[in-house]
């Protein structure tokens, strides 16, 4: 697929994911739409432009692995898995309903395509590190991707994992930081400052790229494996906007776990075109 066609396809998938995720949150009156919307372009790029997988064989050994460490953003993950063909669209209507497979946090025991259960922040990066080390030890060529929130990096376990990844020179390991600068209640820098985040990861032995997390072309370039591979793990700091795409949600900490009323839902659907 030509790059321009690929970018257009990813953008179309991301728009569908936003509309579907917001409908899920509206119908359930539960969810985390702000973080869903900051991450959707990243996740759409991974699933529809970068990763190797087969929804008919979700456990095939050669698949690339994706760990959704910011596990509260299930609207983004579930819509991606659905659009990728892991399960039918009707399942999305059951989001957070009693006995639904689509819990508030992803559970690999219920859903194909989920590599590990996540939700408690700070756990996804260490788990992904273990997966990447296993690939290195067995000589496998799969890639391991993990998406964290930026507020999540205030958890110390992430930095233990970052130090180990740099030391082991895990060239097939990629961390994407959803850098929307907002966490529950306030800004990340007001809570426990992270900057200069890029220099921190370089000091731990990582390659680092800082990009616009809503620029699909830039995401494709950054996430694609270069010829000859890498000799270090890669950290992509993706500058994003919480609530991206809906005017009344953008850059509002209250939409970390806000849910729309009928009027807000209709306004969002008019804007998401």
């Amino acid at each position: 697929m030509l790059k321009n066609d690929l970018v257009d396809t990813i953008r179309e998938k991301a728009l569908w994911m936003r509309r579907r995720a917001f409908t899920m949150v509206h119908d359930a009156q539960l969810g985390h739409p702000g973080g869903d919307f900051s991450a959707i372009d990243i996740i759409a790029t991974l699933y529809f432009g970068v990763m190797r997988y087969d929804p008919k064989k979700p456990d095939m050994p050669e698949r690339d692995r994706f760990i959704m460490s910011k596990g509260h953003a299930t609207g983004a993950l579930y819509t991606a898995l659905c659009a990728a063909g892991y399960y039918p669209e009707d399942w999305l209507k059951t989001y957070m309903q009693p006995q639904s497979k689509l819990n508030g946090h992803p559970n690999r025991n219920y859903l194909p395509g989920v590599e590990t259960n996540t939700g408690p922040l700070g756990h996804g990066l260490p788990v992904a590190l273990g997966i990447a080390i296993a690939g290195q030890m067995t000589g496998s060529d799969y890639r391991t991707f993990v998406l964290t929130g930026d507020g999540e990096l205030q958890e110390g376990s992430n930095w233990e994992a970052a130090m180990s990844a740099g030391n082991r020179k895990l060239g097939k390991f990629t961390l994407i930081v959803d850098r929307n600068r907002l966490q529950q209640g306030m800004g990340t820098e007001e809570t426990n400052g992270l900057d200069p985040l890029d220099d921190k990861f370089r000091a731990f032995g990582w390659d680092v790229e800082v990009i616009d997390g809503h620029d699909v072309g830039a995401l494709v370039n950054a996430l694609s494996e270069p010829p000859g591979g890498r000799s270090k793990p890669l950290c992509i700091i993706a500058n994003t906007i919480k609530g991206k795409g809906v005017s009344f949600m953008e850059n509002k900490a209250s939409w970390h776990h806000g849910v729309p009323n009928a009027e807000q839902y209709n306004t969002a659907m008019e804007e998401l075109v």
Side-chain angles (χ1 to χ4, degrees), residues 8 14 55 102 110 112 155 167 174 180 214 267:
D8 288 344
L102 279 64
Y110 298 156
E155 302 286 352
N167 182 61
T174 299
N180 62 38
H214 301 299
T267 298

PDB file of all heavy atoms in Angstrom, residues 8 14 55 102 110 112 155 167 174 180 214 267:
ATOM      1  N   ASP A   8      -4.289   7.520   4.854  1.00  0.00           N
ATOM      2  CA  ASP A   8      -5.734   7.756   4.738  1.00  0.00           C
ATOM      3  C   ASP A   8      -6.524   6.629   5.395  1.00  0.00           C
ATOM      4  O   ASP A   8      -7.532   6.869   6.079  1.00  0.00           O
ATOM      5  CB  ASP A   8      -6.139   7.885   3.267  1.00  0.00           C
ATOM      6  CG  ASP A   8      -5.677   9.193   2.641  1.00  0.00           C
ATOM      7  OD1 ASP A   8      -5.326  10.126   3.397  1.00  0.00           O
ATOM      8  OD2 ASP A   8      -5.658   9.275   1.396  1.00  0.00           O
ATOM      9  N   ALA A  14      -9.195   5.511  12.626  1.00  0.00           N
ATOM     10  CA  ALA A  14      -9.162   6.294  13.859  1.00  0.00           C
ATOM     11  C   ALA A  14     -10.463   7.070  14.060  1.00  0.00           C
ATOM     12  O   ALA A  14     -10.965   7.182  15.197  1.00  0.00           O
ATOM     13  CB  ALA A  14      -7.970   7.243  13.838  1.00  0.00           C
ATOM     14  N   PRO A  55      -5.915 -11.996  13.342  1.00  0.00           N
ATOM     15  CA  PRO A  55      -7.019 -12.155  14.292  1.00  0.00           C
ATOM     16  C   PRO A  55      -7.611 -13.559  14.321  1.00  0.00           C
ATOM     17  O   PRO A  55      -8.233 -13.948  15.316  1.00  0.00           O
ATOM     18  CB  PRO A  55      -8.052 -11.123  13.816  1.00  0.00           C
ATOM     19  CG  PRO A  55      -7.713 -10.864  12.394  1.00  0.00           C
ATOM     20  CD  PRO A  55      -6.234 -11.015  12.288  1.00  0.00           C
ATOM     21  N   LEU A 102     -16.150  -7.214  27.695  1.00  0.00           N
ATOM     22  CA  LEU A 102     -15.496  -5.925  27.543  1.00  0.00           C
ATOM     23  C   LEU A 102     -15.573  -5.161  28.863  1.00  0.00           C
ATOM     24  O   LEU A 102     -16.416  -4.294  29.079  1.00  0.00           O
ATOM     25  CB  LEU A 102     -16.140  -5.108  26.413  1.00  0.00           C
ATOM     26  CG  LEU A 102     -15.692  -5.440  24.987  1.00  0.00           C
ATOM     27  CD1 LEU A 102     -16.069  -6.862  24.588  1.00  0.00           C
ATOM     28  CD2 LEU A 102     -16.270  -4.458  23.993  1.00  0.00           C
ATOM     29  N   TYR A 110     -10.793 -13.102  28.641  1.00  0.00           N
ATOM     30  CA  TYR A 110     -12.092 -12.898  27.999  1.00  0.00           C
ATOM     31  C   TYR A 110     -11.984 -12.516  26.523  1.00  0.00           C
ATOM     32  O   TYR A 110     -12.872 -12.852  25.738  1.00  0.00           O
ATOM     33  CB  TYR A 110     -12.871 -11.790  28.705  1.00  0.00           C
ATOM     34  CG  TYR A 110     -13.211 -12.061  30.149  1.00  0.00           C
ATOM     35  CD1 TYR A 110     -13.446 -11.014  31.031  1.00  0.00           C
ATOM     36  CD2 TYR A 110     -13.318 -13.365  30.644  1.00  0.00           C
ATOM     37  CE1 TYR A 110     -13.774 -11.247  32.360  1.00  0.00           C
ATOM     38  CE2 TYR A 110     -13.641 -13.609  31.957  1.00  0.00           C
ATOM     39  CZ  TYR A 110     -13.866 -12.551  32.820  1.00  0.00           C
ATOM     40  OH  TYR A 110     -14.184 -12.783  34.130  1.00  0.00           O
ATOM     41  N   PRO A 112      -9.816 -12.185  22.829  1.00  0.00           N
ATOM     42  CA  PRO A 112      -8.670 -12.472  21.981  1.00  0.00           C
ATOM     43  C   PRO A 112      -7.959 -11.175  21.606  1.00  0.00           C
ATOM     44  O   PRO A 112      -8.579 -10.127  21.442  1.00  0.00           O
ATOM     45  CB  PRO A 112      -9.303 -13.130  20.747  1.00  0.00           C
ATOM     46  CG  PRO A 112     -10.714 -12.597  20.709  1.00  0.00           C
ATOM     47  CD  PRO A 112     -11.106 -12.432  22.149  1.00  0.00           C
ATOM     48  N   GLU A 155       5.112   6.183  38.346  1.00  0.00           N
ATOM     49  CA  GLU A 155       5.277   4.913  39.063  1.00  0.00           C
ATOM     50  C   GLU A 155       6.707   4.411  38.886  1.00  0.00           C
ATOM     51  O   GLU A 155       7.225   4.300  37.773  1.00  0.00           O
ATOM     52  CB  GLU A 155       4.298   3.860  38.515  1.00  0.00           C
ATOM     53  CG  GLU A 155       2.838   4.261  38.591  1.00  0.00           C
ATOM     54  CD  GLU A 155       2.283   4.191  40.005  1.00  0.00           C
ATOM     55  OE1 GLU A 155       2.989   3.694  40.907  1.00  0.00           O
ATOM     56  OE2 GLU A 155       1.138   4.631  40.208  1.00  0.00           O
ATOM     57  N   ASN A 167      19.901  -1.556  29.340  1.00  0.00           N
ATOM     58  CA  ASN A 167      21.064  -2.402  29.613  1.00  0.00           C
ATOM     59  C   ASN A 167      21.110  -3.614  28.682  1.00  0.00           C
ATOM     60  O   ASN A 167      22.186  -4.035  28.237  1.00  0.00           O
ATOM     61  CB  ASN A 167      21.036  -2.863  31.067  1.00  0.00           C
ATOM     62  CG  ASN A 167      22.240  -3.702  31.445  1.00  0.00           C
ATOM     63  OD1 ASN A 167      23.370  -3.242  31.376  1.00  0.00           O
ATOM     64  ND2 ASN A 167      21.993  -4.942  31.830  1.00  0.00           N
ATOM     65  N   THR A 174       9.635  -1.258  21.794  1.00  0.00           N
ATOM     66  CA  THR A 174       9.229   0.134  21.591  1.00  0.00           C
ATOM     67  C   THR A 174       8.212   0.551  22.638  1.00  0.00           C
ATOM     68  O   THR A 174       7.169  -0.095  22.805  1.00  0.00           O
ATOM     69  CB  THR A 174       8.618   0.335  20.190  1.00  0.00           C
ATOM     70  OG1 THR A 174       9.597   0.021  19.194  1.00  0.00           O
ATOM     71  CG2 THR A 174       8.163   1.777  19.997  1.00  0.00           C
ATOM     72  N   ASN A 180      -0.074  13.549  26.880  1.00  0.00           N
ATOM     73  CA  ASN A 180      -1.113  14.580  26.825  1.00  0.00           C
ATOM     74  C   ASN A 180      -1.018  15.578  27.972  1.00  0.00           C
ATOM     75  O   ASN A 180      -1.783  16.531  28.039  1.00  0.00           O
ATOM     76  CB  ASN A 180      -2.512  13.948  26.753  1.00  0.00           C
ATOM     77  CG  ASN A 180      -2.869  13.107  27.965  1.00  0.00           C
ATOM     78  OD1 ASN A 180      -2.532  13.449  29.098  1.00  0.00           O
ATOM     79  ND2 ASN A 180      -3.572  12.007  27.742  1.00  0.00           N
ATOM     80  N   HIS A 214      -0.671  12.846  16.915  1.00  0.00           N
ATOM     81  CA  HIS A 214      -1.861  12.808  16.060  1.00  0.00           C
ATOM     82  C   HIS A 214      -1.506  12.913  14.575  1.00  0.00           C
ATOM     83  O   HIS A 214      -2.396  12.924  13.725  1.00  0.00           O
ATOM     84  CB  HIS A 214      -2.831  13.922  16.456  1.00  0.00           C
ATOM     85  CG  HIS A 214      -3.274  13.842  17.877  1.00  0.00           C
ATOM     86  ND1 HIS A 214      -3.963  12.752  18.375  1.00  0.00           N
ATOM     87  CD2 HIS A 214      -3.100  14.691  18.919  1.00  0.00           C
ATOM     88  CE1 HIS A 214      -4.213  12.952  19.670  1.00  0.00           C
ATOM     89  NE2 HIS A 214      -3.697  14.102  20.015  1.00  0.00           N
ATOM     90  N   THR A 267     -23.368  16.660  19.987  1.00  0.00           N
ATOM     91  CA  THR A 267     -22.373  17.644  19.544  1.00  0.00           C
ATOM     92  C   THR A 267     -21.097  16.962  19.082  1.00  0.00           C
ATOM     93  O   THR A 267     -20.523  17.281  18.044  1.00  0.00           O
ATOM     94  CB  THR A 267     -22.055  18.633  20.675  1.00  0.00           C
ATOM     95  OG1 THR A 267     -23.231  19.348  21.038  1.00  0.00           O
ATOM     96  CG2 THR A 267     -20.980  19.634  20.249  1.00  0.00           C
TER      97      THR A 267
END
